[in-house]
């Protein structure tokens, strides 16, 4: 008797999760929908509970048997549904995190960056593009393994010097992007101090990692119409500082 409703609940759960992911909603609405579906299945099942037809049962006895049957079955089914949804949603979240995470540095990758900007307000966002100075020389001189260590060190310094509410991404190669949320043009000095502090830390060489530096270009979303222009303008400012010798910060200005 349990196989039919549990099969129905299982199919309903996966259907709701599929719809939730397709529409890019959170898992919670589909979880509630699946639990509601479980309740419906249990109620439908309860209507089919009768005596065997040979010995009529008193109405009070039938009601008692209904309760004795439905309550344990409802609890059991609710637990099964909850465990299934929790495990399924957890697996989906793990896969999503892996798809949006750069394996080398642990930062968000380009896919993660694009996901963030889709749900962020450009008008209150400051975008900073970082690029390692003379990184090709590091790879050619010390090898790609040391180059990877340099990228990991840059990633650590970026995470340590920006707020938890900011998004630090590695968008490819030796290019990093920081999205400062809720920032404005009045805080230019703060950004300059952060970039200078990062370069001071990177200038400390050790046995495995040579001295490196980064160039940073900054653009304010309040001055831009779309994310593509915001990124391109920050990128332009970054290349201007690289052409001036690197190891510094420049703000985009039309």
């Amino acid at each position: 008797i349990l196989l039919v409703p549990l099969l129905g609940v299982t199919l309903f759960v996966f259907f709701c999760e599929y719809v939730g992911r397709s529409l890019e909603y959170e898992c919670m609405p589909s979880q509630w929908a699946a639990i509601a579906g479980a309740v419906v299945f249990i109620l439908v099942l309860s209507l089919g509970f009768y005596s065997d037809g040979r010995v009529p049962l008193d109405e009070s006895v039938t009601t008692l048997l209904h309760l004795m049957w439905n309550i344990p079955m409802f609890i059991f089914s609710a637990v099964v549904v909850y465990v299934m949804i929790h495990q399924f949603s957890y697996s989906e979240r793990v896969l999503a995190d892996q798809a949006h995470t750069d394996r080398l540095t642990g930062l968000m990758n380009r896919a993660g960056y694009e996901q963030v900007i889709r749900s962020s307000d450009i008008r209150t966002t400051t975008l900073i593009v970082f690029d390692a100075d003379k990184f090709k020389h590091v790879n050619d001189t010390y090898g790609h393994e040391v180059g990877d260590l340099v990228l990991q060190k840059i990633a650590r310094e970026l995470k340590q010097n920006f707020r938890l509410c900011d998004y630090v991404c590695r968008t490819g190669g030796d290019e990093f992007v920081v999205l400062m949320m809720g920032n404005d043009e009045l805080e230019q000095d703060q950004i300059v101090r952060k970039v200078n502090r990062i370069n001071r830390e990177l200038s400390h060489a050790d046995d495995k990692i040579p001295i490196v530096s980064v160039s940073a270009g900054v653009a304010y979303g309040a001055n831009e119409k779309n994310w593509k222009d915001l990124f391109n303008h920050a990128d332009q400012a970054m290349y201007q500082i690289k052409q001036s010798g690197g190891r510094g910060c420049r703000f985009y200005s039309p």
Side-chain angles (χ1 to χ4, degrees):
I1 297 177
L2 281 176
L3 292 180
V4 175
L6 288 181
L7 177 60
V9 170
T10 302
L11 294 176
F12 196 83
V13 169
F14 280 90
F15 172 75
C16 290
E17 289 288 344
Y18 173 78
V19 172
R21 294 196 310 277
S22 299
L23 299 178
E24 296 186 355
Y25 291 153
E26 298 292 336
C27 291
M28 187 56 68
S30 54
Q31 290 181 4
W32 284 111
I35 292 174
V39 174
V40 172
F41 277 113
I42 296 301
L43 291 177
V44 172
L45 177 65
S46 67
L47 297 178
F49 186 90
Y50 298 102
S51 66
D52 58 8
R54 290 174 298 179
V55 180
L57 297 177
D58 183 82
E59 183 177 354
S60 60
V61 176
T62 304
T63 301
L64 178 61
L65 290 176
H66 272 213
L67 292 175
M68 292 175 63
W69 171 261
N70 289 334
I71 292 176
M73 291 302 101
F74 176 79
I75 295 175
F76 174 76
S77 298
V79 171
V80 171
V81 171
Y82 174 79
V83 171
M84 284 175 20
I85 295 174
H86 179 75
Q87 293 298 325
F88 186 69
S89 300
Y90 175 76
S91 299
E92 288 295 315
R93 288 195 298 271
V94 169
L95 291 175
D97 290 342
Q98 291 176 348
H100 295 153
T101 301
D102 176 56
R103 292 186 178 183
L104 178 63
T105 62
L107 302 178
M108 300 184 76
N109 57 17
R110 178 169 289 275
Y113 163 79
E114 292 175 352
Q115 182 187 48
V116 170
I117 64 175
R118 283 198 298 266
S119 58
S120 299
D121 183 2
I122 189 174
R123 295 169 298 177
T124 60
T125 302
T126 299
L127 191 149
I128 311 174
V129 174
F130 286 87
D131 195 83
D133 297 326
K134 301 177 181 177
F135 185 69
K136 184 178 184 301
H137 173 74
V138 173
N139 276 334
D140 293 343
T141 304
Y142 301 97
H144 289 280
E145 290 185 2
V146 173
D148 288 346
L149 294 177
V150 168
L151 294 176
Q152 291 172 340
K153 184 175 183 179
I154 294 174
R156 288 195 301 270
E157 294 302 326
L158 290 176
K159 290 194 68 173
Q160 290 176 5
N161 282 279
F162 286 92
R163 305 167 299 178
L164 294 177
C165 63
D166 299 329
Y167 294 94
V168 183
C169 316
R170 181 190 175 207
T171 52
D174 58 331
E175 183 180 77
F176 298 83
V177 173
V178 175
L179 295 166
M180 294 187 69
M181 316 307 290
N183 207 39
D184 57 48
E185 296 186 47
L186 299 177
E187 299 178 351
Q188 287 191 5
D189 292 342
Q190 181 189 49
I191 295 175
V192 172
R193 287 196 299 270
K194 289 179 181 292
V195 174
N196 290 339
R197 186 161 54 243
I198 290 169
N199 275 322
R200 281 198 303 271
E201 293 300 323
L202 294 176
S203 66
H204 299 156
D206 56 32
D207 294 337
K208 295 182 179 180
I209 305 176
I211 295 176
V212 293
S213 63
V214 294
S215 297
V218 187
Y220 291 97
N223 303 325
E224 306 294 348
K225 296 181 180 180
N226 56 67
W227 290 100
K228 182 179 180 180
D229 289 344
L230 179 62
F231 178 88
N232 288 339
H233 289 161
D235 201 46
Q236 290 176 23
M238 184 270 293
Y239 273 107
Q240 289 174 1
I241 196 68
K242 287 182 77 72
Q243 291 173 356
S244 301
R247 190 184 172 84
C249 176
R250 179 161 293 182
F251 296 82
Y252 173 79
S253 174

